[in-house]
Amino acid sequence: MTAQATSPLWTAQDASAAMNAPLTGLSDWDAHGVSIDTRTLEAGDIFFALIGEGNDGHDYVAQALEKGAACAVVSKPVEGLEADAPLIEVADTLQALEKLGIAARARSKARICAVTGSVGKTGTKEGLLHILSRQGRTHASVASYNNHIGVPLTLARMPADTEYGIFEIGMNHANEISPLVKMVRPEAAIITTVEAVHIENFSSVEDIADAKAEIFDGLQSGGVAILNQDNSHFERLKARALACGAGQIIAFGTQDMAEARVTRMSLKPDASYVTATICGHDMTYKLGVPGEHIVMNSLAMLACVHVLGADLALAGFALGEMTPPEGRGRRIEINLARGSFLIIDESYNANPTSMRAVMQALGNTPPGSRGRRIAVVGDMLELGDHAAAAHAGLSAPIVENSIDLVFACGPLMKNLWDALPANTRGAYADTSAELAPRVVKEIASGDVVMIKGSLGSRMARVLEALKALGPEAQPKKNNNEELV
Ligand SMILES: Nc1ncnc2c1ncn2[C@@H]1O[C@H](COP(=O)(O)OP(=O)(O)O)[C@@H](O)[C@H]1O
Ligand SMILES: [Mg+2]
């Protein structure tokens, strides 16, 4: 391994003490990262051999060490290793990862925030990372690493000198958030919003609110709960936060009483312009990710920035430079032989709440000359008994947002297809693979095409087919960004 300029993430001694397990083999290593997957492992990582359904990390220990892992954490003998292979032998590798995460938290002086909610967790986490990394050493979850593995992994990866830590915490069932947030021990906890997402695992939306409110179980005593006052579950969440010992509630949204409130907003196709009051500070900022829902998330981000003691004015500038993450609103302009069309790539995921938010964003995007607003939508999964009505119910936002043409795929989207006004019906197919060529045939210069569906609906196939129609246009320089 090459020498690293920075101090190690974990020395062998510290890692062994954290996991309360002895070192075997070579024991003079330093680690600079933590990995659970040899495909992404880097030299110098500690490799945890986790045992999953149908996959056992112990089968990859030799490969991990060949790739330069500093050591491997194992719970059973692995054959074919060198006699002095650097190992830490534990009873349970996931528990060992949790212990390392807890030790990382214990040694840290970072100001820490946890983010949960039915939608907007990753966007809010990424926004905070973008803002705070300009102001201090910031550590955050990768992608949506928000579950019983992702959270301890993110903790274990947190450098000792981190100043700001941002943790996404998710759940599909009750009692999942509570143990995770107790490891994270945030001083600020954000609940973006509560909606009927993963409703098939719950008997009511109130039960979902209660499961989200588990985030307060790990809130530091006197910590701050940042809650969406426009959401109908606000009072329920607030009561729960106070009962858990929160010292302050910061409400965000559009209402006059909200401590973090928007007073004006101008929603443009590629950005929003916002005037807001954040805990007594008036500010005006540009938001580089369009959509009213992102404006709401930005209020939560700024409230959090304030709580963590970072600078609001710098945060305002940073928001202007934000761009949508891949699959979550990224805009791609494709050149055709004549003219071009615009893709709004929302292929990463979908539920009724985000689908409506994005249809509104499509409505705010004017097509080019003779172009149309086109929605290409695939099934929204995990909706249980609500599925048929939730899909059919999308015909209203389609009409409200002047969407000209709808292409739909999947058995659930048949409900929408049947509910659509006839003049908005583009085509319906069983799968995204069958739908893609139908969309391709229809696209013309000036069109704006929004693609969205649950990950399982594989809407990325439509995205790839459309991207193959021509080269990507170079993003236009936006004069708002540059001073002369
Ligand atoms: N506050 C919000 N209200 C409605 N939709 C939202 C909100 N925040 C984000 N979204 C949309 O939800 C989808 C998922 O966003 P993401 O940040 O990945 O959420 P999560 O991590 O909670 O799954 C995206 O389409 C995004 O534009
Ligand atoms: Mg996420």
Side-chain angles (χ1 to χ4, degrees):
M1 201 183 78
T2 50
Q4 307 262 340
T6 53
S7 53
L9 178 66
W10 295 105
T11 64
Q13 276 65 35
D14 288 348
S16 153
M19 291 183 245
N20 194 20
L23 298 159
T24 62
L26 291 172
S27 61
D28 61 345
W29 48 265
D30 284 338
H32 293 269
V34 179
S35 170
I36 57 169
D37 187 333
T38 50
R39 289 168 298 183
T40 48
L41 181 137
E42 291 185 14
D45 285 353
I46 299 177
F47 175 70
F48 280 82
L50 298 183
I51 301 174
E53 285 165 25
N55 216 344
D56 186 341
H58 292 84
D59 297 340
Y60 301 92
V61 168
Q63 199 184 69
L65 293 171
E66 263 161 44
K67 279 187 89 175
C71 101
V73 180
V74 296
S75 61
K76 57 189 180 192
V78 177
E79 286 179 14
L81 301 182
E82 309 262 340
D84 60 354
L87 300 176
I88 297 183
E89 289 169 348
V90 300
D92 180 310
T93 48
L94 179 58
Q95 275 175 17
L97 179 63
E98 291 172 0
K99 285 182 184 169
L100 192 62
I102 289 166
R105 180 66 187 94
R107 72 181 180 182
S108 175
K109 295 190 176 62
R111 315 273 317 247
I112 291 190
C113 167
V115 183
T116 193
S118 299
V119 289
K121 295 180 291 296
T122 300
T124 301
K125 181 260 303 175
E126 289 292 326
L128 281 167
L129 172 62
H130 176 85
I131 294 168
L132 293 168
S133 57
R134 282 160 177 70
Q135 301 195 32
R137 287 182 295 276
T138 304
H139 177 73
S141 321
V142 171
S144 282
Y145 282 19
N146 64 21
N147 67 5
H148 65 291
I149 297 170
V151 173
L153 176 63
T154 304
L155 273 172
R157 287 173 167 176
M158 181 163 67
D161 63 354
T162 297
E163 291 169 299
Y164 301 109
I166 312 298
F167 290 80
E168 174 173 338
I169 305 187
M171 61 105 197
N172 293 333
H173 301 90
N175 304 319
E176 286 176 345
I177 288 182
S178 190
L180 298 178
V181 73
K182 285 177 185 166
M183 297 179 213
V184 173
R185 289 197 289 113
E187 72 174 287
I190 299 175
I191 300 183
T192 55
T193 186
V194 173
E195 307 286 348
V197 174
H198 299 303
I199 185 83
E200 68 180 4
N201 301 326
F202 293 89
S203 51
S204 69
V205 188
E206 283 72 25
D207 286 354
I208 295 182
D210 291 344
K212 300 287 180 204
E214 289 174 23
I215 195 132
F216 308 127
D217 292 351
L219 190 64
Q220 292 171 28
S221 163
V224 183
I226 300 173
L227 302 175
N228 183 344
Q229 197 167 14
D230 295 334
N231 185 261
S232 58
H233 304 280
F234 173 76
E235 292 298 339
R236 192 181 184 96
L237 298 176
K238 179 178 168 181
R240 179 76 183 270
L242 293 171
C244 288
Q248 191 190 353
I249 307 291
I250 298 182
F252 70 90
T254 56
Q255 300 188 28
D256 288 345
M257 296 303 289
E259 287 84 3
R261 67 180 173 279
V262 56
T263 48
R264 277 188 70 165
M265 60 182 150
S266 167
L267 304 172
K268 301 288 186 214
D270 55 357
S272 301
Y273 298 84
V274 186
T275 304
T277 299
I278 307 295
C279 305
H281 301 268
D282 292 335
M283 48 194 299
T284 297
Y285 54 93
K286 174 187 166 186
L287 194 52
V289 184
E292 186 174 342
H293 54 304
I294 309 296
V295 175
M296 296 305 135
N297 296 350
S298 76
L299 300 171
M301 292 175 213
L302 290 170
C304 179
V305 164
H306 179 68
V307 171
L308 299 189
D311 188 277
L312 277 179
L314 289 177
F317 283 113
L319 285 172
E321 295 162 4
M322 255 176 77
T323 50
E326 202 172 323
R328 293 187 189 80
R330 183 158 292 179
R331 286 164 187 246
I332 308 163
E333 187 179 349
I334 302 289
N335 282 330
L336 296 169
R338 257 196 219 143
S340 66
F341 70 98
L342 185 70
I343 302 173
I344 304 178
D345 171 19
E346 284 277 356
S347 57
Y348 175 69
N349 224 334
N351 57 57
T353 307
S354 65
M355 197 64 110
R356 280 166 197 268
V358 168
M359 285 179 174
Q360 191 194 34
L362 177 59
N364 285 329
T365 307
S369 157
R370 270 178 291 167
R372 300 151 299 175
R373 290 191 183 89
I374 300 177
V376 185
V377 290
D379 283 358
M380 304 179 290
L381 307 176
E382 297 187 73
L383 294 172
D385 295 344
H386 303 251
H391 284 76
L394 292 176
S395 68
I398 283 166
V399 173
E400 284 158 20
N401 291 296
S402 311
I403 295 172
D404 300 295
L405 217 46
V406 177
F407 290 82
C409 60
L412 294 170
M413 274 299 171
K414 187 75 172 50
N415 294 289
L416 170 64
W417 182 252
D418 293 338
L420 281 175
N423 62 348
T424 61
R425 288 191 184 142
Y428 172 82
D430 290 337
T431 65
S432 62
E434 291 161 89
L435 189 65
R438 309 285 300 271
V439 183
V440 163
K441 226 169 106 195
E442 183 66 32
I443 290 302
S445 175
D447 288 342
V448 187
V449 192
M450 186 279 287
I451 305 171
K452 194 166 181 69
S454 282
L455 198 55
S457 304
R458 304 180 68 177
M459 301 307 287
R461 287 166 169 166
V462 180
L463 175 72
E464 293 314 319
L466 289 182
K467 278 166 72 174
L469 284 175
E472 273 184 42
Q474 292 308 311
K476 292 189 187 66
K477 276 249 173 359
N478 185 339
N479 288 331
N480 290 319
E481 245 101 48
E482 286 184 7
L483 298 171
V484 279

